[in-house]
Amino acid sequence: MNKALRRTVIAGNWKMNKTPDEAKALIEEMKPLVAGADCDVVLCVPYVDIPAAVEAAKGSNIRIGAENVHFKASGAYTGEVSADMLKAVGVEYVIIGHSERRQYFGETDQTVNLRTLAALNAGLKVILCVGETLEQRELGYTETLLKYQTKIGLTNVTAEQLKNVIIAYEPVWAIGTGVTATDDQADEGNGFVRAAVAEAYGADVAETVTVQYGGSMNAKNAEGLLSKVNVDGGLIGGASLKAPDFSVIVKAASK
Ligand code: 13P
């Protein structure tokens, strides 16, 4: 296992928080705190915040992402946004398959796969989210489910395209609950994801894929989680809304 073969990526997921003015202010506050980080730093923001965020992040090491994307290029899909539209306004990353999208907005592994393909074809980098519910964990299906979600999500993604995919293991029971997976649970879950990539693309490719952990990661627990061999970064919700907390996580990832 060689962590040096892959990029460490710390990404914030702001979810449905911040107006454009607030986004600008938060990014201005973050810029000096994360400058010079020895990891990739990404902020995924609500659609309407994207222009302000891209402008505020200009000239810094912060890259801007979106929180979802539709799988069609254009057409009668009221309320949706295409990958080309995101690309055109300076978006570089997009979160796909977040458990909140699956839980509240009916997204399935199949639509997650279609969104992934559309984003990659448009030249976006994808943060593909997978994760089990508490019930699924207690029934003993964590490994099966993570492998299934990973493989379906990556259907028809070529090994070349996979270079633009980050996978985020986010146990649903740890998101926004304050209950973090232990360092070992995170490492194990990320390991199941990497094993699924190995089954689909071979062990050498799997060694190069960035697998993040997400779920109540914060300034206090980040260092322990990030010290694990299979944890190549984090996808951070609540703590990404506070510049000092987010920068502590970025610094922990830079060690
Ligand atoms: P929290 O860090 O708030 O638990 O959210 C995690 C998450 O869902 C990131 O995508």
Side-chain angles (χ1 to χ4, degrees):
M1 218 46 99
N2 187 355
K3 277 183 105 163
L5 289 174
R6 38 198 191 251
R7 291 291 305 165
T8 301
V9 183
I10 298 296
N13 173 10
W14 284 3
K15 309 192 179 183
M16 197 171 72
N17 292 289
K18 304 292 174 189
T19 64
D21 282 351
E22 290 167 346
K24 179 178 184 306
L26 183 52
I27 291 172
E28 293 298 348
E29 191 186 350
M30 280 183 180
K31 275 199 290 193
L33 300 178
V34 302
D38 189 18
C39 65
D40 292 350
V41 181
V42 182
L43 292 175
C44 298
V45 305
Y47 290 137
V48 294
D49 292 348
I50 289 169
V54 167
E55 184 60 30
K58 250 185 203 147
S60 78
N61 59 331
I62 298 174
R63 308 266 80 85
I64 300 302
E67 299 177 11
N68 195 19
V69 64
H70 193 59
F71 43 84
K72 293 283 189 181
S74 63
Y77 303 99
T78 302
E80 295 295 332
V81 171
S82 76
D84 284 341
M85 291 173 185
L86 293 178
K87 187 85 179 150
V89 289
V91 164
E92 293 179 56
Y93 290 78
V94 60
I95 296 172
I96 294 177
H98 192 279
S99 64
E100 288 150 16
R101 301 286 330 164
R102 296 176 189 255
Q103 191 178 344
Y104 305 132
F105 304 101
E107 294 196 12
T108 65
D109 290 301
Q110 284 69 28
T111 58
V112 166
N113 175 239
L114 293 176
R115 286 171 212 272
T116 298
L117 292 169
L120 291 171
N121 287 334
L124 295 169
K125 292 188 172 74
V126 169
I127 301 176
L128 173 64
C129 299
V130 297
E132 84 287 1
T133 62
L134 186 59
E135 188 186 15
Q136 289 161 338
R137 170 167 282 263
E138 286 173 346
L139 287 169
Y141 284 119
T142 301
E143 178 175 4
T144 307
L145 193 95
L146 291 180
K147 286 189 169 179
Y148 177 86
Q149 287 185 342
T150 301
K151 287 182 185 173
I152 303 280
L154 293 174
T155 303
N156 293 326
V157 172
T158 66
E160 190 56 31
Q161 287 177 313
L162 193 69
K163 292 176 182 163
N164 287 320
V165 177
I166 293 164
I167 305 170
Y169 167 51
E170 297 206 309
V172 178
W173 46 272
I175 294 176
T177 57
V179 180
T180 318
T182 64
D183 299 348
D184 286 339
Q185 283 172 327
D187 197 42
E188 182 186 50
N190 282 27
F192 292 150
V193 169
R194 198 178 308 287
V197 176
E199 286 168 18
Y201 296 89
D204 289 353
V205 171
E207 280 297 301
T208 66
V209 171
T210 295
V211 185
Q212 298 174 317
Y213 167 79
S216 298
M217 192 189 267
N218 59 38
K220 287 205 177 77
N221 60 28
E223 190 165 346
L225 290 162
L226 292 165
S227 72
K228 289 294 172 180
V229 72
N230 272 310
V231 180
D232 310 314
L235 184 55
I236 294 111
S240 73
L241 296 168
K242 296 180 196 131
D245 293 36
F246 188 66
S247 70
V248 167
I249 300 170
V250 168
K251 287 195 178 92
S254 301
K255 283 185 182 159

